[in-house]
């Protein structure tokens, strides 16, 4: 398995040996391709920043995506964790099977209201890949000692074409908080980007070691939505852009496989 910030959409790549990891015997190539980025991100957000413990509650946005599915599986490795997961209604059954306690359809309901009905005090951890105004919503949902971890800006992407108004709106709505406000609220705001940890070999290798142990014990299993040949890269991107995927979308060299 290879971890590289970019340049992987080709048949042959050259990477530092420290960014390669042995696949377990039972793991398929598709699972191996789906594991590293998604599960390292989910693990470090939940455990390194989030300090996930028994009895905690977690809001997972885009819970049917690659990182979302990984996060939900990892939450199951800790006792009595309540998971709120946002996704369109058609994906709720898959979310429940994966371990989401309360699926929420963000198209038809306000997820803040839905969470407050079930947990009036809010949640302990918010996984925020959305950015913009949703970061502020997540922050305001936190219990005392809670953490919002932002690791993406999905709100910048609103459709197949670039929307400068949406870009400007998301930028304008960026969440900002002062150190004094954090102190008074007993909350934390964290930022995570795996691409900027490429020099932290020991840190990342330690996480991979723990993830492979969880895989070998049967606690986690990458969920592959679909596999596309390089020639259909536009269709693969469209699958994600239109939010049709449940799990990881993969590109592979060679002939097309049946999805």
């Amino acid at each position: 398995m290879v971890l590289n910030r970019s340049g992987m959409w080709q048949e042959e790549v050259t990477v530092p040996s420290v960014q390669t990891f042995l696949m377990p015997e039972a793991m398929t190539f598709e699972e191996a391709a789906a594991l590293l980025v998604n599960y390292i991100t989910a693990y470090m957000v939940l455990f390194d920043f989030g300090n996930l413990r028994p009895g905690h509650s977690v809001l997972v946005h885009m819970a049917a995506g690659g990182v979302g599915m990984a996060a939900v599986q990892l939450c199951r490795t800790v006792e009595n964790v309540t998971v709120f997961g946002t996704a369109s209604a058609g994906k709720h059954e898959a979310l429940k099977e994966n371990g989401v306690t309360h699926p929420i359809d963000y198209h038809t309901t306000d997820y803040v209201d839905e969470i407050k009905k079930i947990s009036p005090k809010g949640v302990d951890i918010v996984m925020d890949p959305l950015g913009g105004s949703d970061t502020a919503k997540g922050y305001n949902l936190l219990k005392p000692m809670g953490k919002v971890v932002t690791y993406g800006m999905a709100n910048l992407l609103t459709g197949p074409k670039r929307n400068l108004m949406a870009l400007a709106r998301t930028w304008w709505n960026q969440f900002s908080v002062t150190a004094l406000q954090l102190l008074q609220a007993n909350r934390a705001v964290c930022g995570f980007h795996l691409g900027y940890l490429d020099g932290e070999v020991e840190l990342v290798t330690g996480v991979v070691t723990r993830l492979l142990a969880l895989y070998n014990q049967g606690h986690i299993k990458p969920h592959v939505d679909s596999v596309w040949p390089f020639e259909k890269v536009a269709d693969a991107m469209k699958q994600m852009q239109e939010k049709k995927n449940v799990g990881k979308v993969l590109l592979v060299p060679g002939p097309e496989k049946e999805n």
Side-chain angles (χ1 to χ4, degrees):
M1 297 181 286
V2 175
L3 189 63
N4 215 38
R5 195 194 293 194
S6 61
M8 296 297 292
W9 292 9
Q10 49 195 358
E11 291 180 354
E12 294 182 11
V13 293
T14 304
V15 296
S17 60
V18 292
Q19 290 170 221
T20 62
F21 305 92
L22 285 173
M23 287 169 54
E25 287 291 328
M27 185 178 280
T28 67
F29 285 106
E30 287 79 12
E31 286 178 339
L35 183 90
L36 288 182
V37 171
N38 288 345
Y39 281 82
I40 293 172
T41 298
Y43 187 97
M44 297 189 82
V45 167
L46 284 170
F47 293 101
D48 290 289
F49 270 139
N51 193 25
L52 181 63
R53 296 178 184 173
H56 272 182
S57 53
V58 183
L59 169 58
V60 181
H61 283 297
M62 298 169 66
V67 175
M69 296 285 272
V72 174
Q73 288 182 14
L74 287 167
C75 284
R76 288 194 331 220
T77 67
V78 179
E79 283 183 65
N80 195 29
V81 171
T82 301
V83 179
F84 298 90
T86 65
S88 51
K91 299 176 180 179
H92 284 192
E93 206 54 48
L95 292 190
K96 286 179 182 175
E97 289 173 11
N98 199 43
V100 172
T101 322
H102 303 288
I104 300 170
D105 183 0
Y106 61 94
H107 292 294
T108 58
T109 55
D110 184 325
Y111 63 84
V112 173
D113 291 341
E114 291 300 305
I115 291 169
K116 285 289 183 77
K117 285 178 193 172
I118 298 163
S119 178
K121 286 187 177 181
V123 297
D124 297 289
I125 302 168
V126 173
M127 294 185 63
D128 172 36
L130 302 175
S133 60
D134 284 291
T135 308
K137 284 184 179 181
Y139 177 80
N140 291 321
L141 263 175
L142 293 176
K143 294 177 180 178
M145 305 305 293
K147 302 162 192 74
V148 57
V149 187
T150 184
Y151 64 97
M153 280 283 159
N155 283 336
L156 292 175
L157 303 174
T158 55
K161 293 186 178 176
R162 188 181 300 168
N163 185 332
L164 293 178
M165 280 298 293
L167 286 170
R169 193 183 309 117
T170 302
W171 184 259
W172 181 256
N173 287 327
Q174 271 295 84
F175 178 64
S176 181
V177 64
T178 67
L180 183 59
Q181 288 170 317
L182 289 173
L183 184 153
Q184 293 167 338
N186 284 302
R187 294 170 178 162
V189 179
C190 312
F192 180 82
H193 192 306
L194 182 57
Y196 293 106
L197 287 178
D198 49 6
E200 300 296 328
V201 175
E202 277 187 46
L203 177 65
V204 174
T205 300
V207 173
V208 175
T209 301
R210 291 192 286 278
L211 288 171
L212 292 180
L214 289 170
Y215 178 87
N216 288 328
Q217 292 159 11
H219 294 307
I220 61 171
K221 185 177 176 66
H223 188 101
V224 176
D225 171 80
S226 49
V227 180
W228 305 80
F230 283 178
E231 293 76 24
K232 293 197 172 181
V233 61
D235 295 323
M237 297 301 287
K238 193 176 177 185
Q239 176 84 351
M240 290 191 295
Q241 207 163 39
E242 295 179 353
K243 298 180 179 176
K244 292 178 179 176
N245 62 301
V246 176
K248 185 73 167 175
V249 175
L250 295 180
L251 286 176
V252 298
E256 184 169 8
K257 292 190 176 185
E258 194 172 320
N259 288 315

